Amino acid sequence: MDYPTVLATIEKACVEAQHPTTREQAEKVLIDFKQSANIVPVCQYLLANSNTPSVQFHAASGITGAIVREYSLYQKQDIQHLQAYLIQYNLQHAKLVQWVAKQIYQAIAVISKRGWLEASEEGQDVVYNHIIQLLSMGDHEKKIGLSLAHALIDEFSSRGKASSVGLTWDFHYKTKLSFEERHLRLIFEVALKILHEQLQDLMSIPGQEVSGAQKPLLSLSIMLVETILQWDFASGQPVLAGTFTDDEDDYNRTIVYPASWRSVLVNADVLSMFFTLFPLVQDDNIMTHRVRQCLIQLCGLHGAIFANDQVTIHHISGVMNGLLTLINNVASCSSDECLQADYAENMVAITEMIRQLLSFHSIQTICAVPERFDFLNQVALLTIHCLNESAKLPEESESLMGAFDELLVTWVKLVQDSQAAVSDRSAPALVADATTLLQFFHSISYRIVEKYIDTRLELAKFNALVDEENDGFQDWETYGDQLISIAALARLDPHNTLLRLQGLLHDRIERLQTFLNTTHDGSHPDYVVFLYEHLHWLIVITGYTFADNSVGEAGVVPETLNELSKTQALAQDQLVNIFSNLMSLLDSVSLDSHSAQAISCSPQVALSLFWFLERWVKTYLFVNPSDYSSLSPNLLQSYGEPSRGGKGSSILEFLITKLRINFIMWNADPDVLVQIIGLLNAFGQRASVRDALLQSEHFPPLVSFFIDHLSVLPEVIHNPLIQSVTTIISYAPSEQLNGHYFGLIGGAIESRFVAVLHDKSFQERYQTQEVMTQIMNGLEMFNGLALALTDINTPAIFNFISRFLESFVDLVRIYRNFPEVQILVLNLFTDLTKNLEFATLSPDQVSYFHASVLKLLQTFSAANLGNKRASAWEEAEDEPYNDVSVVLDLLIHLLEVRGVDSMLAQTPNAVLPSTVVFSGINILIPMIKDNMLRIPRLCTLYIRLISRLVESYPERLVELPSDLLNNLMVSLKYGIDHDILEVSHLTFQAIIALALYACNASLRNPNEYLATLRPHLDEFLKLTFEQLLFKRLDMELVDVAGSCVLALVCASQDAYTRLIQELLGASETPLTPDLQQRLSGSFQHLSEAFPTQDIVGQRELTQRDVAMTTARREIFMRFLMGVRGVLRVK
């Protein structure tokens, strides 16, 4: 090889790679060169004779690749000489550009790692000794030593930065473990030493500007220390063999350090050094960030790193003292300093340090720290400071609120842990300490809650002047977690919290009422906008404080609120008075929609009030004393049932009246109307409230009002309104009243829907927007009935809806080119299938419904036959191929209906669900293309359908035409290695059912063992093993994949035997005789998990026979740990 010619060629290629017209060919030249055999000498020549950075880079890269490929061809001394040459090259070329130097460091690290396991301890020490020597020399040499050490750490780590060198996971794991045990701590110690020297230098000249360019040794030593502190120690959580960790894990995760690191980490001097360093590097964002990360790790130390409780307490004490200094520095910043970019980042980092410190230690340990109260008091001040600055700097409020959230989560955890400790009477001393701590939390909780309320009101003024984009979420959803935590603190001191809320609400409500009583022109001055924003937030905070979001029959009044109410006279009861204030507000803003005052009202306040009422009703209205050991008499008297002397009925009557007024007032605002329907749903969810509602003289007029005004209400609420009203009236006390209500609803829906369909001009006008809107509106109302179905009302609703099933199907034909109408019809049938209680219907009705579904699917198929789907348009939609997804959902629910086949067994010519499903499968499979399966929802539904199908009707599945069966099997193969965990899980479940069916079918008739299924099952066995042994594997799939292996092996032992040989030959690296024997032994051991021969072939197998028992899981995990590490390669 002519070295000068090669140099000229590479120089030319590097130049041409910069130009688009010649880039492709130039890159091919460079790749071909680096893949050539025996190129190390020529690469050294290139390094020695070229000053072009890109040539130097490719030369270093070429050396790396050559050593990885040809390592066995080199003598050990040649490797050591090459490493020494590369180190010396960097020493002699002080002006190397950074990315070239970095590539050379990587080459040295890769060479070191590649020969690590074969080297003696002396050989393993070669690069380490070079590093130590370099770090004992001058600044230039130290820079090289630190950079080389960093490259070595990256190469040996499992954090995704290691190079792909074509070696097994076993190799990577063993080299990492060996390096961790022999050199990692030693490098860390020397890096700390250099960092300390740099810190001393920094402190010797106060006020000097600090940057990475000016202080390279400081920057490099900080980077090295931070990288080591992020090391994923093998002593931490065990990982499945063969699992290569990528670099997507949480950067701020807390590492579990081994006990052997005590001397360097549980060290007051090290801790002090980082706390001292933190404020000194603030001029450099990168160094500041890295020091922050180091402190977060040191604050989160826990576990075996501490020798005993006293050491733990001493460390916590040191961290608290260091954090106190940081907190004081941050809290004393001026407003101008708070505007700087790194202020919010520092604040977030400090709050993370606090959370790390307090989250990993028990209340018992924290109570033993002398500085705990001083520290916690400062943390409380910092919490308030975050809120103060958020209010002063609304533009920065998001970041500062993030810091506040960190602290809030910490406070709530401390409170909950303290409350749990107080409840544990087995440790009297701890109970005393935890009680004292709770008293402290009680003293600071109101300060935090008060400041939070003030901050929200201040930010509300800012937000009122800014047009914020609506993201579709309300504030109680967006800030839900934050508000839950605030409520937890508020309930520690409910008296002061409620006093504050009561005073603010009273003031804002009184001012608003004064405005509404004096305005006559619909004006909306700025101060009223602020009032509305304030009222909105006060209502939301009150709602979270008063009640939790109960999902069941009824919520429970929070204990501290109930206890407070018991101590107060009814006239002074804060819970009762605040609710009365809010009802006074509701009364004031429930106005004639044509009045000038109504124009000045806020939809946001109306929305918030009805949200509050939905939450309040579930907990307080008709409160039941039997749910409490001792319920406040005030609450029982104010909100209880009349039979218990309560006034809950009068509140319900008031709410019904206001509900109707607001429905008129906000008839053009769907958000408010949907929230009002939410209150109606809350009435319907609680039996006591629902019964009182049905007996109210105001309820029949309300229902009539809804029905009479459907045509003028937004279409978006028709479905939920019909659903809500239907659910409530289903529980009417008499059959006559029930029939009356259903007649009203059914008549309203029918008159609108039939009038459109039977209009003489329908065929000419069906495509017009007006007619389509009426049709879609009618379908939405029918769907509301379908969603309200229960075992009580199924007969009545089905009798009504069944009269229109043929019309619904016909709409699919008529609107063949209008998928929005088709989807509504499909959704209606899906919800009917999902919610109908078929046991309450006659066999003829059930058969008729399934016949209608069959006709629907056939019509849908005919309507879409030959239609070309614009895939680019479809996939750009929010819900691409939505009609196909809905049909899949419909078929899944048909499969999940139980007992219908037996119900229809004696009915002549009955249409069975299975008939419908298989007809649907025949229709759908040709429609589903590969690009559709890339859509997560559609793919999940499709695989779920196939899984249910295989589990329910395997015998009919194999009777499908071969092309359809093949398509189904291809889909299952696609699902094995899918990004969506649920898809893979469902796929394995389906394969298990299919394999068990094949086993049992061959047992009944040996000649029947499904020639069509056997090749698919053999392929499934191969793909499952490939997934388990060669690919990334989620631990959540191990059990179901293991059961899949057992079922498939039972179906074909011969295929398994052949597959073992194939798999052993599929390794990407040559297997030594020892490894061959190890793998063979692992497969042999795996056979101990298989069902025994006295079962297989002797009786039919069930899911239980292949289920993952504890013993099987242990065998299976041992197999994976033994085999994956050898076969998986990086």
Side-chain angles (χ1 to χ4, degrees):
M1 186 180 293
D2 183 357
Y3 290 1
T5 302
V6 173
L7 173 58
T9 302
I10 301 303
E11 292 269 12
K12 180 183 177 186
C14 287
V15 172
E16 292 178 346
Q18 306 302 312
H19 301 285
T21 55
T22 55
R23 179 176 299 144
E24 185 176 347
Q25 182 58 37
E27 288 178 348
K28 183 178 184 304
V29 170
L30 294 171
I31 291 170
D32 289 345
F33 165 70
K34 288 190 286 187
Q35 290 178 346
S36 304
N38 193 27
I39 61 166
V40 170
V42 71
C43 287
Q44 289 178 279
Y45 178 84
L46 296 182
L47 285 172
N49 292 278
S50 176
N51 293 319
T52 305
S54 53
V55 174
Q56 295 168 335
F57 175 85
H58 288 295
S61 176
I63 289 174
T64 305
I67 294 299
V68 168
R69 289 192 310 272
E70 305 166 353
Y71 184 81
S72 59
L73 302 179
Y74 293 89
Q75 299 295 320
K76 289 181 182 178
Q77 59 267 30
D78 295 336
I79 295 293
Q80 291 178 7
H81 289 155
L82 179 59
Q83 289 175 318
Y85 166 79
L86 292 173
I87 293 171
Q88 197 63 32
Y89 183 85
N90 270 11
L91 280 170
Q92 293 170 354
H93 294 75
K95 295 184 179 180
L96 274 180
V97 296
Q98 187 175 356
W99 44 276
V100 173
K102 187 175 180 180
Q103 183 60 44
I104 293 174
Y105 297 136
Q106 184 188 10
I108 297 166
V110 169
I111 294 168
S112 179
K113 181 176 178 178
R114 177 60 186 85
W116 190 270
L117 295 183
E118 301 168 22
S120 63
E121 288 192 0
E122 184 181 354
Q124 292 175 352
D125 289 343
V126 168
V127 175
Y128 169 75
N129 289 337
H130 276 299
I131 291 171
I132 298 302
Q133 183 182 1
L134 289 166
L135 294 179
S136 66
M137 299 168 70
D139 286 358
H140 173 59
E141 290 81 6
K142 283 178 179 174
K143 283 167 54 180
I144 292 175
L146 289 169
S147 300
L148 180 54
H150 192 269
L152 209 61
I153 301 296
D154 278 348
E155 198 57 52
F156 279 85
S157 76
S158 58
R159 296 287 301 131
K161 295 181 178 179
S163 304
S164 297
V165 292
L167 292 171
T168 66
W169 178 89
D170 242 13
F171 170 86
H172 288 279
Y173 181 77
K174 287 177 179 177
T175 53
K176 174 200 166 188
L177 188 60
S178 173
F179 179 80
E180 177 184 313
E181 291 173 347
R182 299 201 67 237
H183 290 151
L184 185 64
R185 186 168 58 84
L186 299 175
I187 292 175
F188 184 68
E189 289 175 353
V190 74
L192 285 178
K193 181 182 177 184
I194 292 177
L195 180 56
H196 183 262
E197 291 171 358
Q198 294 301 305
L199 177 59
Q200 293 295 108
D201 178 61
L202 201 60
M203 295 173 67
S204 66
I205 310 175
Q208 59 181 308
E209 186 179 341
V210 177
S211 69
Q214 292 174 328
K215 299 286 183 181
L217 287 180
L218 177 65
S219 177
L220 287 169
S221 57
I222 290 173
M223 179 174 68
L224 179 56
V225 168
E226 186 230 357
T227 302
I228 296 174
L229 284 174
Q230 298 285 344
W231 183 272
D232 191 12
F233 284 88
S235 54
Q237 281 289 95
V239 295
L240 179 65
T243 301
F244 293 105
T245 308
D246 57 30
D247 217 10
E248 296 174 0
D249 293 334
D250 181 10
Y251 192 70
N252 291 335
R253 76 201 192 291
T254 300
I255 311 300
V256 179
Y257 298 97
S260 58
W261 282 61
R262 280 177 192 158
S263 61
V264 288
L265 292 183
V266 187
N267 185 312
D269 292 336
V270 171
L271 193 62
S272 174
M273 179 174 68
F274 280 100
F275 277 119
T276 304
L277 184 62
F278 183 65
L280 299 177
V281 296
Q282 294 297 308
D283 293 334
D284 188 288
N285 289 336
I286 296 175
M287 281 196 279
T288 302
H289 170 75
R290 286 174 173 152
V291 173
R292 284 196 298 251
Q293 297 308 311
C294 292
L295 279 170
I296 288 170
Q297 296 301 334
L298 293 173
C299 290
L301 291 181
H302 62 286
I305 192 83
F306 296 114
N308 53 53
D309 289 344
Q310 284 305 311
V311 174
T312 307
I313 292 165
H314 183 72
H315 174 77
I316 294 174
S317 178
V319 173
M320 284 184 175
N321 285 318
L323 283 172
L324 281 171
T325 303
L326 291 190
I327 291 170
N328 289 329
N329 289 343
V330 169
S332 63
C333 285
S334 66
S335 296
D336 289 340
E337 289 173 317
C338 293
L339 287 170
Q340 293 177 4
D342 59 348
Y343 173 80
E345 294 174 6
N346 281 340
M347 186 73 87
V348 172
I350 291 170
T351 57
E352 171 69 5
M353 293 172 206
I354 294 167
R355 189 176 68 81
Q356 291 279 62
L357 175 67
L358 298 176
S359 295
F360 288 110
H361 302 290
S362 67
I363 283 294
Q364 185 172 8
T365 302
I366 291 170
C367 285
V369 180
E371 296 87 351
R372 63 190 181 280
F373 288 118
D374 288 342
F375 177 71
L376 290 172
N377 193 57
Q378 287 301 311
V379 173
L381 293 176
L382 181 67
T383 309
I384 292 168
H385 178 76
C386 286
L387 292 170
N388 270 329
E389 295 307 320
S390 294
K392 290 179 189 174
L393 308 167
E395 300 88 346
E396 298 292 326
S397 64
E398 186 174 345
S399 297
L400 292 169
M401 275 293 181
F404 170 73
D405 285 339
E406 286 280 353
L407 294 171
L408 198 56
V409 169
T410 305
W411 284 122
V412 172
K413 182 180 184 301
L414 287 171
V415 169
Q416 291 171 343
D417 289 350
S418 299
Q419 290 170 335
V422 169
S423 303
D424 182 9
R425 299 295 173 182
S426 62
L430 176 59
V431 169
D433 288 340
T435 301
T436 305
L437 205 54
L438 267 179
Q439 290 169 350
F440 172 80
F441 294 148
H442 180 278
S443 71
I444 64 159
S445 62
Y446 174 64
R447 289 155 58 195
I448 295 172
V449 172
E450 179 187 35
K451 181 52 65 176
Y452 179 79
I453 294 170
D454 292 345
T455 301
R456 275 292 165 211
L457 297 186
E458 196 62 35
L459 290 174
K461 288 168 60 178
F462 172 77
N463 292 334
L465 301 174
V466 177
D467 290 330
E468 290 189 296
E469 289 186 15
N470 188 349
D471 60 0
F473 293 99
Q474 299 297 336
D475 285 332
W476 49 80
E477 297 168 323
T478 302
Y479 301 101
D481 291 341
Q482 187 182 86
L483 287 160
I484 288 171
S485 297
I486 283 293
L489 294 185
R491 293 171 191 171
L492 285 179
D493 187 359
H495 171 71
N496 282 318
T497 298
L498 296 182
L499 199 62
R500 179 71 171 158
L501 288 170
Q502 188 176 355
L504 290 167
L505 281 167
H506 178 77
D507 173 74
R508 300 319 191 262
I509 292 170
E510 193 174 67
R511 288 162 62 186
L512 179 63
Q513 288 171 336
T514 300
F515 166 74
L516 291 175
N517 289 333
T518 56
T519 186
H520 303 290
D521 58 1
S523 62
H524 219 272
D526 285 347
Y527 82 91
V528 176
V529 176
F530 296 156
L531 276 180
Y532 283 135
E533 281 291 330
H534 280 195
L535 282 168
H536 158 66
W537 271 105
L538 290 170
I539 292 166
V540 170
I541 295 169
T542 303
Y544 270 90
T545 304
F546 267 42
D548 297 318
N549 186 26
S550 56
V551 180
E553 171 69 10
V556 176
V557 178
E559 183 181 355
T560 56
L561 300 189
N562 184 38
E563 293 300 317
L564 175 68
S565 178
K566 286 195 292 187
T567 66
Q568 297 175 330
L570 179 58
Q572 282 78 44
D573 191 301
Q574 292 171 284
L575 288 173
V576 175
N577 288 335
I578 288 175
F579 180 74
S580 297
N581 282 342
L582 290 174
M583 293 309 95
S584 169
L585 173 62
L586 177 62
D587 188 46
S588 298
V589 297
S590 299
L591 302 165
D592 183 331
S593 59
H594 299 293
S595 67
Q597 291 92 336
I599 297 172
S600 298
C601 285
S602 161
Q604 182 64 67
V605 169
L607 190 66
S608 306
L609 277 168
F610 282 104
W611 167 83
F612 169 85
L613 285 168
E614 179 188 358
R615 196 177 183 97
W616 182 89
V617 161
K618 294 176 183 178
T619 298
Y620 290 88
L621 190 57
F622 295 153
V623 61
N624 188 349
S626 63
D627 294 336
Y628 304 83
S629 58
S630 173
L631 177 65
S632 165
N634 294 346
L635 299 180
L636 185 60
Q637 182 179 340
S638 301
Y639 311 131
E641 296 181 53
S643 61
R644 294 189 168 100
K647 299 176 182 176
S649 291
S650 62
I651 291 175
L652 181 61
E653 299 292 340
F654 172 81
L655 293 178
I656 294 171
T657 305
K658 300 308 170 187
L659 189 149
R660 175 172 175 167
I661 292 171
N662 279 273
F663 234 87
I664 299 170
M665 186 175 170
W666 301 107
N667 67 83
D669 194 314
D671 287 342
V672 178
L673 298 182
V674 168
Q675 187 55 65
I676 294 174
I677 294 170
L679 174 59
L680 205 58
N681 286 333
F683 291 158
Q685 287 171 10
R686 296 188 55 200
S688 56
V689 180
R690 184 180 62 230
D691 293 344
L693 183 66
L694 287 165
Q695 292 166 14
S696 167
E697 63 181 20
H698 291 105
F699 185 64
L702 181 66
V703 175
S704 298
F705 164 77
F706 286 147
I707 300 306
D708 293 341
H709 291 82
L710 267 177
S711 59
V712 297
L713 294 172
E715 288 86 354
V716 71
I717 72 155
H718 290 182
N719 181 315
L721 181 60
I722 293 291
Q723 178 188 356
S724 183
V725 173
T726 303
T727 300
I728 293 170
I729 66 174
S730 299
Y731 295 89
S734 70
E735 194 171 321
Q736 181 181 2
L737 188 57
N738 188 288
H740 170 69
Y741 283 136
F742 271 122
L744 284 175
I745 292 175
I749 296 174
E750 182 174 2
S751 62
R752 286 164 176 74
F753 190 67
V754 173
V756 179
L757 285 181
H758 291 177
D759 189 286
K760 293 179 181 178
S761 61
F762 177 72
Q763 288 299 327
E764 291 79 36
R765 299 180 59 238
Y766 77 92
Q767 296 187 43
T768 63
Q769 189 61 48
E770 179 187 359
V771 172
M772 282 182 60
T773 299
Q774 291 174 316
I775 289 291
M776 293 169 71
N777 184 22
L779 290 170
E780 288 279 12
M781 289 191 280
F782 276 109
N783 194 250
L785 289 176
L787 292 171
L789 282 162
T790 66
D791 56 341
I792 296 173
N793 60 28
T794 285
I797 292 178
F798 185 80
N799 283 336
F800 174 69
I801 288 184
S802 62
R803 294 161 40 203
F804 304 96
L805 292 179
E806 292 182 16
S807 298
F808 298 150
V809 172
D810 206 35
L811 286 175
V812 173
R813 177 188 60 79
I814 294 169
Y815 287 100
R816 61 183 299 150
N817 295 317
F818 297 89
E820 58 270 40
V821 177
Q822 291 189 351
I823 286 170
L824 286 175
V825 176
L826 293 169
N827 270 323
L828 173 57
F829 274 87
T830 301
D831 287 328
L832 286 170
T833 305
K834 193 186 305 183
N835 298 315
L836 278 169
E837 293 288 343
F838 290 104
T840 66
L841 301 177
S842 70
D844 286 340
Q845 288 176 312
V846 175
S847 179
Y848 176 64
F849 174 73
H850 286 92
S852 300
V853 177
L854 180 59
K855 182 66 175 173
L856 170 72
L857 293 172
Q858 292 167 342
T859 306
F860 173 73
S861 174
N864 286 277
L865 191 65
N867 280 4
K868 287 190 176 181
R869 319 253 348 193
S871 58
W873 175 84
E874 286 274 16
E875 290 169 21
E877 292 294 288
D878 290 338
E879 295 185 56
Y881 307 106
N882 197 23
D883 52 349
V884 177
S885 294
V886 176
V887 173
L888 287 168
D889 202 23
L890 170 61
L891 296 177
I892 289 168
H893 286 293
L894 279 171
L895 281 169
E896 291 175 346
V897 173
R898 296 287 177 257
V900 171
D901 283 7
S902 57
M903 177 194 294
L904 300 178
Q906 306 302 318
T907 304
N909 303 317
V911 177
L912 301 175
S914 56
T915 303
V916 180
V917 170
F918 276 92
S919 295
I921 287 292
N922 277 280
I923 290 167
L924 267 186
I925 289 180
M927 293 178 65
I928 295 179
K929 309 301 180 186
D930 289 346
N931 64 313
M932 295 187 187
L933 294 179
R934 292 197 293 269
I935 298 164
R937 180 172 182 269
L938 194 150
C939 180
T940 302
L941 287 170
Y942 183 54
I943 297 296
R944 185 182 296 143
L945 173 63
I946 295 173
S947 179
R948 298 285 186 272
L949 196 68
V950 171
E951 292 170 6
S952 304
Y953 302 106
E955 70 285 348
R956 291 194 59 180
L957 193 69
V958 297
E959 296 171 2
L960 286 172
S962 60
D963 57 339
L964 291 183
L965 180 62
N966 287 337
N967 281 343
L968 277 177
M969 297 299 105
V970 168
S971 300
L972 288 178
K973 293 166 189 174
Y974 174 78
I976 289 174
D977 182 23
H978 202 279
D979 293 337
I980 301 173
L981 190 65
E982 184 186 2
V983 170
S984 296
H985 200 281
L986 290 167
T987 300
F988 285 127
Q989 284 181 327
I991 294 171
I992 291 169
L994 200 63
L996 291 177
Y997 167 72
C999 286
N1000 297 335
S1002 63
L1003 184 66
R1004 290 190 296 271
N1005 183 355
N1007 297 325
E1008 191 188 310
Y1009 177 37
L1010 316 165
T1012 54
L1013 270 188
R1014 179 184 283 274
H1016 294 300
L1017 293 175
D1018 291 352
E1019 182 71 6
F1020 290 146
L1021 182 63
K1022 179 182 178 183
L1023 292 173
T1024 302
F1025 264 112
E1026 287 179 354
Q1027 183 65 34
L1028 289 168
L1029 301 181
F1030 294 102
K1031 298 182 180 178
R1032 185 169 181 170
L1033 179 64
D1034 194 300
M1035 283 293 291
E1036 291 184 41
L1037 290 176
V1038 167
D1039 277 9
V1040 70
S1043 293
C1044 187
V1045 166
L1046 301 184
L1048 288 166
V1049 170
C1050 290
S1052 180
Q1053 180 68 46
D1054 292 344
Y1056 173 65
T1057 304
R1058 292 194 303 271
L1059 181 62
I1060 293 175
Q1061 301 307 315
E1062 287 182 32
L1063 290 173
L1064 293 178
S1067 173
E1068 294 182 37
T1069 58
L1071 297 177
T1072 64
D1074 286 345
L1075 284 179
Q1076 285 274 7
Q1077 187 174 356
R1078 170 180 160 183
L1079 293 175
S1080 298
S1082 294
F1083 278 101
Q1084 189 173 356
H1085 181 65
L1086 177 63
S1087 63
E1088 295 175 19
F1090 299 161
T1092 55
Q1093 292 303 313
D1094 60 332
I1095 296 175
V1096 181
Q1098 305 302 313
R1099 64 167 175 81
E1100 292 199 357
L1101 299 178
T1102 66
Q1103 294 271 355
R1104 193 169 183 173
D1105 291 315
V1106 295
M1108 270 289 161
T1109 62
T1110 303
R1112 277 179 173 159
R1113 186 178 297 110
E1114 185 179 336
I1115 293 170
F1116 201 70
M1117 286 302 299
R1118 198 179 308 147
F1119 167 75
L1120 291 178
M1121 295 298 284
V1123 177
R1124 276 174 61 86
V1126 175
L1127 297 182
R1128 287 216 76 202
V1129 167
K1130 177 178 177 178

